[in-house]
């Protein structure tokens, strides 16, 4: 449960896109009388449409330095004609001025407002964004304190009296009734870190000095408790929250999404500010409602309080509130100094009706503060070297309570102090552990019992045309057995083929820092060649139930494998693998070779011994790590690169073939602001050598009703085969861009999605000599295979359905031009 809550919180992360930041503009010079040449003291100097200015000294000299330069500088003095001079922004320059004496008096000018007064302030806020964004600085650093808390909310008296909770009723003594919904704190974590930034070359680094987490002993969680993965920058046009693109109230085109109102002006601290209120123009748009205070001189945000507007097209979020305060820590340098965030999460919408029992949900709270700023003092270049953005540099003293008493920016309340003890106590209660085990089983598929985990439960029974009814039993060692080594095994039996299948594998760490992992295993089982890695596994009961065609093209696979995986730095991994496989056809598959007498002869099996090197590079990837597995989370603006190179060694263990196989893949998710987001995958591969069709590229088809993101959903298994290919998968999520504008559809909160998939390839005729192709198996000789799709997601908040149109090769037997596919997707 805690890991799931962490995933929700981590989706708040907003990575900063690269852009050009403002530099300081310096203008200096001397002001004189144009007729006499005498210097003029106390001349007023100011940037046009700005409150930034100065006066000349007794010798007529002046110097003005600012991040808030406009396009011209005005010079005025009593008895002289005012003058304006153009200014080159972000550069030092000298402007000497000779003012002409004035012979006439200027008439009074009356300015009448012709538009919403908030718009002029907003324009100046947008104009000054590059100067007010902290990334204008050549360098900065500060200390960050983050506190995160999760509460179970809607705790009523009736709820506390349920028999289910009697074994740990003491926890209800900690209910906080000060919120709109009474809440029970169940989890809290704190962190102290130092954050460093350098503009050129752009580098960010955070050193986690201390973490304190209730109920979790997992160091990888600590890196997400720092500042870098959770900070929302209001100066960006779009804020990535819950994986969605929210329009910032000070976005460049904010007037197209918000209505603004100038409602007040007052001192906020020592700064005179304007108060702008804002609300979305359209219901269900991903925008905020709230107000902000804008400094009247620099047009920087002094304070902002905002929440997600009611009716926004967002699942499971009953409320979202953020409050940020900025301060001028140095002249013309505004930095975020305090940040508060509250999220109200609820799986089932709380109707608020008095005759309904309230549904329990969660509050997620984050409080952060920042201090000890150091501005424009970059460190030695060696300090910024290294690929890891977040480094665990734990201070040994942070393990003690005294450290937190002296280093916390904000003291804990009395109830907050009890959370750590309460959570640790709950972990020791057997009944609570039982509830946690049930939830864990549903999510992971495994049931933990002591040193062993039984499962996955969805593979216990399945069926197919070759095995008939298939029964499987298996499991793996649990973390109680070891956090360094894991063993896994299973056995299965088919009632039709009356054969046992089995597998045994192990993996373990040689070193955890750096990450060095070995894997080894043996299996003798059935596989579906040409099935994507994203599809239901062959023995999943759902894969059996939702099949469109009989599953009768299976392969008997006996496999020995061993590998060594090394992570060189975060996101960059190599795996060296040795694999020996024996393949035999089952069902309607045939391995046949044309003999010298032009008759077809059966090939009983294919044996291969393969040495492979797999490389994966995901720059600045974020993940939560278990003892062995890692789960990527959040949005990564960088592409993920993968390269697979394999060599088939002939005669090694009686291997039949020599070949080289190369496959490259580039995956990228694109955040596209108001029009949603897109993900694309470009992949290509080539085989060098002469091989039978099972060892070539069998393009991924789909013969189930389940929508498979990475396969061709209108392609049959074994329909197309290549020895070289390139393919593109593209999918765009509009996030309700069109349906939100239709009154009758708006309430459903459906979201549009569209996709395009194509693969082009070729197949050399030399491979026919090794093995004949099956009936209705083809090369891509007549151009690429293509399909397009249009669908609706977020149906009942969990269902997505797509209509897929097959654009090419519709004359192949057993194919249809259209297909309907669906899948369950749970997201915000």
């Amino acid at each position: 449960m805690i890991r799931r809550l962490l995933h929700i919180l981590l989706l708040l992360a907003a990575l900063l896109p690269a852009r050009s930041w403002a530099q300081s503009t310096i203008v200096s010079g001397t002001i004189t009388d144009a007729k006499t040449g005498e210097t003029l003291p106390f001349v007023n100097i100011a940037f046009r449409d700005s409150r930034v200015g100065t006066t000349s000294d007794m010798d007529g000299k002046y110097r003005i330095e600012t991040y808030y330069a406009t396009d011209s500088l005005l010079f005025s003095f009593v008895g002289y004609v005012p003058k304006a001079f153009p200014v080159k922004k972000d550069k030092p320059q000298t402007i000497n001025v000779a003012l002409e004496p004035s012979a006439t008096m200027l008439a009074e000018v009356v300015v009448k407002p012709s538009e919403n007064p908030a718009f002029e302030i907003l324009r100046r806020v947008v104009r000054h964004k590059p100067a007010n964004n902290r990334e204008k600085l050549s360098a900065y650093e500060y200390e960050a304190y983050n506190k995160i808390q999760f509460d179970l909310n809607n705790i009523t008296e009736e709820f506390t009296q349920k028999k289910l909770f009697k074994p740990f009723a003491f926890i209800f003594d900690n209910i906080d009734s000060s919120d709109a919904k009474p809440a029970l704190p169940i989890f809290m974590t704190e962190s102290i870190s130092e954050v460093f930034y350098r503009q050129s070359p752009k580098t960010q680094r955070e050193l986690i000095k201390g973490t304190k987490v209730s109920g979790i002993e997992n160091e990888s969680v600590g890196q997400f408790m720092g500042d870098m993965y959770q900070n929302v920058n209001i100066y960006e046009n779009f804020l990535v929250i819950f994986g969605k693109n929210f329009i910032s109230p000070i976005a460049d085109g904010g007037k197209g999404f918000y209505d603004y109102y100038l409602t007040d002006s007052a001192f906020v601290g020592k700064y005179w500010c304007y108060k702008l209120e804002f609300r979305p123009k359209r219901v269900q748009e991903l925008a905020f409602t709230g107000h902000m205070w804008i400094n009247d001189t620099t047009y920087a945000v002094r304070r902002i309080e905002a929440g997600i507007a009611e009716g926004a097209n967002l699942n499971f979020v009953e409320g979202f509130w953020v409050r940020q305060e900025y301060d001028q820590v140095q002249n013309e340098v505004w930095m975020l100094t305090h940040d508060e965030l509250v999220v109200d999460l609820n799986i089932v919408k709380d109707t608020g009706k008095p005759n309904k029992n309230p549904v329990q949900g969660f509050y997620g709270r984050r409080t952060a503060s920042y201090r000890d700023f150091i501005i424009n003092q970059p460190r030695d270049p060696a300090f910024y070297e290294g690929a890891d953005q977040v480094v665990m540099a734990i201070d040994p003293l942070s393990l003690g309570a005294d450290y937190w008493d002296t280093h916390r920016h904000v003291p804990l309340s009395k109830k907050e102090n009890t959370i750590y003890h309460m959570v640790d106590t709950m972990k020791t209660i057997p009944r609570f552990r039982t509830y946690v085990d049930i939830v864990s089983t549903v999510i992971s598929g495994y049931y933990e019992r002591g040193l062993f985990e039984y499962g996955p439960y969805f593979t216990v029974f399945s069926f197919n045309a070759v095995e008939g009814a298939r029964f499987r039993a298996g499991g793996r060692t649990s973390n109680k057995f070891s956090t360094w080594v894991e063993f896994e095994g299973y056995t299965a039996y088919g009632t039709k083929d009356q054969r046992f299948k089995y597998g045994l594998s192990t993996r373990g760490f040689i070193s955890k820092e750096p990450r060095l992992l070995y894997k080894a295993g043996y299996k003798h089982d059935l596989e579906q060649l040409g099935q994507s890695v994203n599809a239901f596994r062959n023995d999943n009961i759902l894969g059996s139930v939702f099949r469109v065609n009989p599953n009768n093209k299976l392969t008997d696979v006996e496999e020995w494998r061993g590998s060594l995986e090394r992570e060189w730095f975060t996101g960059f991994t190599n795996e060296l693998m040795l694999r020996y496989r024996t393949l035999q056809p089952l069902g309607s598959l045939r391995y046949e070779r044309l003999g010298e007498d032009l008759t077809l002869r059966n090939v009983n099996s294919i044996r291969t011994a393969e040495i492979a090197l797999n490389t994966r590079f995901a720059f600045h990837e974020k993940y939560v790590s278990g003892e062995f597995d890692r789960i990527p989370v959040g949005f990564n603006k960088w592409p993920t690169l993968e390269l697979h190179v394999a060599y088939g060694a002939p005669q090694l263990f009686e291997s039949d073939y020599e070949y080289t196989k190369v496959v490259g893949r580039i995956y990228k998710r694109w955040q596209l602001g108001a029009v949603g987001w897109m993900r694309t995958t470009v992949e290509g591969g080539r085989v060098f050598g002469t091989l039978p069709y099972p060892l070539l590229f069998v393009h991924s088809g789909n013969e189930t009703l389940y929508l498979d993101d990475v396969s061709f959903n209108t392609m049959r298994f074994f329909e197309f085969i290549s020895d070289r290919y390139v393919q593109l998968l593209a999918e765009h999520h509009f996030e309700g861009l069109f349906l939100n504008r239709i009154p009758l559809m708006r309430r459903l909160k459906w979201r549009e999605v569209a996709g395009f998939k194509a693969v082009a390839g070729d197949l050399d005729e030399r491979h026919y000599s090794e093995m004949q192709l099956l009936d209705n198996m083809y090369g891509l000789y007549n151009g690429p295979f293509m399909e397009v799709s249009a669908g609706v997601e977020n149906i009942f908040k969990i269902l997505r359905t797509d209509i897929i149109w097959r654009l090419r090769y519709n004359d192949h037997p057993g194919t249809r031009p259209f297909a309907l596919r669906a899948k369950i997707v749970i997201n915000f």
Side-chain angles (χ1 to χ4, degrees):
M1 179 180 68
I2 293 175
R3 172 178 288 186
R4 292 290 166 182
L5 295 177
L6 285 172
H7 289 183
I8 293 170
L9 181 65
L10 297 179
L11 289 172
L12 303 180
L15 298 180
L16 309 177
R19 59 184 294 178
S20 176
W21 302 110
Q23 303 295 323
S24 179
T25 301
I26 303 173
V27 185
S28 60
T30 303
I31 305 173
T32 60
D33 185 302
K35 290 187 176 181
T36 66
E38 294 180 357
T39 58
L40 298 177
F42 310 119
V43 176
N44 296 310
I45 307 155
F47 284 97
R48 188 188 297 273
D49 294 328
S50 171
R51 297 173 65 91
V52 177
T54 187
T55 59
S56 58
D57 62 15
M58 293 297 296
D59 297 322
K61 297 182 181 297
Y62 74 94
R63 185 180 187 277
I64 185 169
E65 179 178 355
T66 182
Y67 288 109
Y68 304 98
T70 61
D71 58 0
S72 58
L73 197 60
L74 302 178
F75 298 82
S76 62
F77 193 47
V78 177
Y80 288 83
V81 178
K83 279 191 175 182
F85 291 84
V87 172
K88 298 179 180 178
K89 292 183 181 180
D90 305 334
K91 293 181 179 180
Q93 56 212 280
T94 300
I95 300 178
N96 295 317
V97 179
L99 294 180
E100 296 281 352
S102 175
T104 59
M105 296 292 292
L106 294 177
E108 180 182 7
V109 177
V110 178
V111 178
K112 297 181 179 180
S114 60
E115 66 172 353
N116 184 341
F119 290 168
E120 176 58 28
I121 297 174
L122 183 66
R123 277 195 293 269
R124 298 189 181 198
V125 171
V126 172
R127 183 194 309 155
H128 288 84
K129 275 169 51 176
N132 289 321
N133 198 323
R134 63 187 179 181
E135 297 201 9
K136 71 184 179 186
L137 304 170
S138 62
Y140 63 75
E141 58 187 76
Y142 57 83
E143 182 182 87
Y145 168 74
N146 282 273
K147 178 178 66 179
I148 297 170
Q149 178 180 325
F150 281 98
D151 304 340
L152 185 67
N153 64 28
N154 262 339
I155 304 296
T156 63
E157 180 69 22
E158 181 182 357
F159 182 84
T160 64
Q161 299 300 319
K162 289 184 178 181
K163 184 177 180 181
L164 182 71
F165 301 110
K166 284 186 177 180
F168 32 91
F170 71 93
I171 66 174
F172 297 117
D173 296 335
N174 296 285
I175 291 178
D176 184 355
S177 58
S178 61
D179 292 305
K181 302 176 183 179
L184 173 67
I186 57 174
F187 167 77
M188 189 172 73
T189 181
E190 300 173 273
S191 74
I192 296 284
S193 61
E194 293 179 347
V195 179
F196 305 87
Y197 170 83
R198 179 185 62 181
Q199 187 189 76
S200 183
K202 185 176 180 180
T203 309
Q204 286 179 285
R205 177 145 301 168
E206 182 173 17
L207 303 182
I208 306 291
K209 294 296 186 180
T211 61
K212 189 175 183 181
V213 185
S214 63
I216 295 180
E217 295 85 24
N218 187 334
E219 187 180 82
S220 76
V221 174
Q223 64 180 313
F224 296 101
M225 299 303 105
D227 181 66
M228 191 173 296
Y229 287 148
Q230 303 176 52
N231 203 294
V232 175
N233 188 351
I234 195 69
Y235 285 97
E236 295 298 326
N237 287 328
F238 292 92
L239 312 178
V240 182
I241 301 175
F242 303 113
K244 310 296 183 185
N245 297 317
F246 281 80
I247 299 101
S248 169
I250 59 172
D252 293 349
K255 288 196 296 183
F257 301 93
Y258 288 97
D259 291 322
Y260 295 91
Y261 308 92
L262 176 60
T263 59
D264 199 0
S265 59
F267 278 104
V268 179
K270 60 182 179 179
Y271 304 103
W272 186 259
C273 298
Y274 303 113
K275 182 180 181 182
L276 294 186
E277 295 188 9
F278 50 88
R279 64 173 67 107
K281 282 183 175 292
R282 291 169 289 274
V283 179
Q284 293 186 327
E285 205 144 55
L286 295 179
F288 300 96
T289 182
H291 67 268
M292 53 188 168
W293 291 89
I294 306 298
N295 177 243
D296 73 328
T297 302
T298 62
Y299 294 95
V301 176
R302 173 68 174 91
R303 178 188 298 162
I304 183 169
E305 297 183 25
I308 294 177
E310 185 177 357
N313 195 338
L314 199 64
N315 295 329
F316 315 125
V317 180
E318 292 287 297
F320 176 96
W321 305 271
V322 62
R323 183 178 187 270
Q324 293 186 332
E325 289 194 14
Y326 296 78
D327 210 343
Q328 200 165 201
V329 299
Q330 187 174 297
N331 186 38
E332 297 190 348
V333 176
W334 290 84
M335 299 291 287
L336 179 64
T337 56
H338 190 77
D339 192 3
E340 294 181 27
L341 183 148
V342 178
V343 183
D344 183 2
L345 301 169
N346 216 311
I347 301 300
V348 180
K349 184 175 179 61
D350 185 3
T351 63
K353 295 181 180 179
N355 60 330
K356 296 288 185 179
N357 292 326
V359 180
Q360 278 65 52
F362 293 94
Y363 280 135
R365 311 173 191 266
R366 173 179 179 258
T367 303
S369 63
Y370 312 98
R371 68 186 186 190
D372 301 336
F373 294 92
I374 299 176
I375 306 299
N376 290 337
Q377 298 180 32
R379 298 201 172 206
D380 186 83
F383 175 82
Y384 300 98
E385 293 178 356
D388 292 333
Q389 280 190 304
V390 179
V391 178
M392 301 299 293
I394 300 298
D395 185 340
L397 296 177
S398 68
L399 301 177
D402 292 342
Y403 175 90
W404 293 97
D405 292 338
T406 57
H407 285 76
R408 281 189 187 100
H409 294 192
V410 181
L412 295 182
S413 67
K414 181 178 179 181
K415 286 189 178 296
E416 288 173 334
N417 268 311
T418 65
I419 295 177
Y420 290 115
H421 173 71
M422 183 190 71
V423 173
D424 291 338
T425 302
M426 288 176 62
K427 289 170 57 181
T428 65
I429 300 174
R431 182 71 62 85
F432 178 77
R433 290 300 316 164
T434 300
Y435 300 150
V436 172
D437 290 344
I438 292 173
V439 174
S440 177
T441 299
V442 173
I443 295 173
S444 70
Y446 288 86
Y447 175 69
E448 180 179 346
R449 189 72 175 178
L451 304 180
F452 200 71
E453 296 179 359
Y454 300 88
Y457 60 81
F458 47 77
T459 64
V460 171
F461 173 76
S462 60
F463 55 89
N464 59 69
V466 174
E467 294 178 283
R470 174 186 168 108
F471 298 90
R472 183 186 185 277
R476 63 190 182 190
T477 55
S478 69
N479 292 338
K480 293 179 181 179
F481 174 82
S482 175
T483 58
W484 281 80
V485 63
E486 177 187 81
F487 296 95
E488 182 171 7
Y490 74 91
T491 184
Y493 181 78
T495 58
K496 184 175 181 179
D497 63 356
Q498 298 184 349
R499 288 180 49 205
F500 280 98
K501 298 87 182 174
Y502 39 84
L504 182 66
S505 62
T506 181
R507 58 178 175 171
F509 287 100
I510 299 173
S511 167
K512 290 191 175 184
E513 188 58 45
R515 182 180 173 92
L516 185 60
L517 185 70
Y518 72 84
K519 300 175 185 177
Y522 169 81
K523 76 169 184 179
H524 194 173
D525 204 346
L526 276 58
E527 283 188 14
Q528 174 67 71
L529 300 184
Q531 178 172 270
S532 80
V533 295
N534 201 44
F536 284 128
R537 51 187 291 172
N538 199 50
D539 53 2
N540 188 320
I541 181 60
L542 296 179
S544 301
V545 171
F546 294 109
R547 286 194 61 82
V548 176
N549 298 319
N551 193 7
N552 60 0
K553 296 179 181 178
L554 298 177
T555 302
D556 181 279
V557 178
E558 184 179 17
E559 176 183 275
W560 298 83
R561 58 179 170 80
S563 67
L564 189 65
E565 179 184 302
R566 172 67 152 84
E567 182 180 60
W568 302 97
F569 54 83
T570 301
F572 183 67
T573 305
N574 284 130
E575 181 183 28
L576 182 64
M577 181 174 65
L578 176 63
R579 183 172 69 168
Y580 179 80
R581 285 160 62 95
T582 302
L583 310 180
Q584 294 179 297
L586 295 174
S588 62
L589 283 188
R590 295 289 183 271
Y591 292 175
E592 296 177 327
R593 180 181 296 141
L594 191 63
E596 294 181 357
D597 56 358
L598 301 181
T599 60
L600 291 176
R601 299 179 181 178
N602 287 329
V603 178
N604 293 327
S605 65
I606 299 171
R607 293 184 297 272
T608 63
E610 189 175 274
I611 303 171
L613 178 65
N614 300 320
T615 302
R616 184 178 185 273
F617 181 46
F619 190 54
H620 289 170
E621 181 179 55
K622 304 185 297 296
Y623 58 84
V624 171
S625 178
E627 296 301 337
F628 296 95
D629 296 311
R630 290 178 168 179
I631 304 173
V633 294
F635 162 64
N636 188 359
K637 68 177 182 179
W638 302 100
T640 299
L641 311 178
E642 297 179 5
L643 179 65
H644 169 78
V645 180
Y647 172 70
Q651 307 306 318
L652 180 63
F653 304 122
E654 299 183 345
S655 173
D656 296 327
Y657 297 98
E658 180 179 17
Y659 59 91
T660 301
K661 183 180 292 187
V662 181
V663 177
R665 183 180 298 110
I666 303 174
Y667 169 82
K668 177 75 171 73
R669 173 167 169 153
W670 311 81
Q671 296 294 138
L672 300 176
V675 298
W677 60 275
M678 175 184 288
R679 58 184 176 191
T680 58
T681 302
V682 178
E683 179 180 307
R686 176 147 192 178
V687 169
F688 301 91
T690 302
L691 297 175
Y693 73 81
L695 303 183
L696 298 172
F697 297 116
V698 181
H699 297 296
S700 299
N702 182 14
E703 295 187 0
T704 71
L705 296 174
Y706 174 79
L707 179 66
D708 190 340
D709 294 334
V710 297
S711 73
F712 295 91
N713 288 284
T714 58
M715 184 187 294
R716 295 180 291 103
F717 289 139
F718 291 102
E719 184 177 357
F720 291 101
I721 191 168
S722 301
D723 60 10
R724 52 196 180 276
Y725 75 99
V726 60
Q727 73 178 29
L728 169 67
L729 311 179
E731 185 176 86
H732 188 89
H733 297 252
F734 291 94
E735 300 287 12
L737 178 66
F738 306 109
L739 295 179
N740 283 348
R741 287 162 170 77
I742 303 175
L744 295 179
M745 302 295 296
R746 184 185 299 152
R747 295 175 62 87
L748 297 174
K749 295 188 177 182
W750 288 359
R751 303 166 186 168
E752 319 85 345
V753 60
F756 173 77
K757 298 178 181 179
V759 56
D762 204 356
L763 180 64
D764 197 291
E765 293 184 358
R766 69 178 185 275
H767 301 293
Y768 298 160
S769 63
E770 285 300 322
M771 187 169 290
Q772 293 292 299
L773 300 185
L774 298 175
D775 293 338
N776 303 324
M777 179 184 285
Y778 309 91
L780 292 163
Y781 301 120
N782 297 322
F785 176 90
M786 295 186 292
E787 64 182 26
V788 295
S789 62
V792 176
E793 57 185 349
N794 208 43
I795 302 172
F796 306 118
K797 297 185 179 182
I798 61 170
L799 184 64
R800 170 181 166 183
T801 62
D802 280 30
I803 297 176
I804 303 136
W805 181 18
R806 177 171 167 142
L807 300 179
R808 305 287 311 281
Y809 298 99
N810 290 324
D811 57 337
H812 288 184
T815 63
R816 296 182 178 89
F818 294 96
L820 182 66
R821 298 287 184 266
K823 72 173 182 176
I824 293 176
V825 182
I826 300 177
N827 58 34
F828 289 102

